[in-house]
Amino acid sequence: MNTPPTPGLAPLPDHRNTRDPQWLRAWARFEHVTTPLRQRGLTCDVDYGLDAWIVYAWPPDQDAVVIIGSDDGWMVTYETPAEDRSSMTVLYDSRERPDLDGSTHVADLITAVDAHLRTSANALPPPGRPRSRWPSRPLS
């Protein structure tokens, strides 16, 4: 399925699950994370890992920003090359700092991703002006 992009947002991932009710529920659960990332031009996807939800985001250089969300908080890693895990850097980890209101440090998470994107070799356009082509990845 080739979903047309929403103005100002990177497109949804290009796979058959974007119409699956279970995937749509997971997507809705993490819209507060995926929307700011998509505003920055990153194509995002959601999946369930071993015991936590995972949000994948692909910057223009096609390496992966992996956001693991659990009841304990968030951990954000940057993996290069994508899905290889030969070089993984932790960008943000809120698991040691509980957040009583349930937002679990999402603003800090986005700030950490922004800082990484600013320092990466391929800088992103400002929010609201995504590039025209982004990689799409299927769910594992």
Side-chain angles (χ1 to χ4, degrees):
M1 177 179 112
N2 197 359
T3 306
T6 304
L9 296 177
L12 290 173
D14 187 15
H15 56 68
R16 70 181 186 280
N17 293 338
T18 58
R19 294 191 187 267
D20 178 82
Q22 183 176 355
W23 185 88
L24 290 169
R25 281 189 300 275
W27 181 261
R29 180 177 177 187
F30 294 101
E31 268 187 310
H32 64 294
V33 175
T34 59
T35 297
L37 294 171
R38 291 178 66 211
Q39 288 170 335
R40 288 151 176 80
L42 283 73
T43 298
C44 297
D45 202 354
V46 295
D47 198 1
Y48 192 76
L50 295 174
D51 62 352
W53 282 96
I54 302 170
V55 175
Y56 296 96
W58 290 278
D61 55 9
Q62 299 185 22
D63 294 336
V65 174
V66 178
I67 303 165
I68 301 168
S70 68
D71 293 336
D72 298 332
W74 298 98
M75 184 171 78
V76 181
T77 63
Y78 179 72
E79 300 175 5
T80 181
E83 300 170 2
D84 181 359
R85 292 179 177 72
S86 62
S87 176
M88 184 172 72
T89 304
V90 175
L91 301 178
Y92 178 75
D93 191 348
S94 69
R95 295 174 301 164
E96 298 298 319
R97 301 177 305 167
D99 188 354
L100 300 177
D101 73 0
S103 64
T104 322
H105 308 282
V106 172
D108 292 341
L109 177 157
I110 298 300
T111 299
V113 172
D114 281 343
H116 170 73
L117 294 174
R118 277 192 307 272
T119 61
S120 68
N122 294 317
L124 286 177
R129 293 181 27 210
R131 295 184 184 175
S132 60
R133 293 186 161 211
W134 296 98
S136 295
R137 308 284 172 130
L139 287 174
S140 302

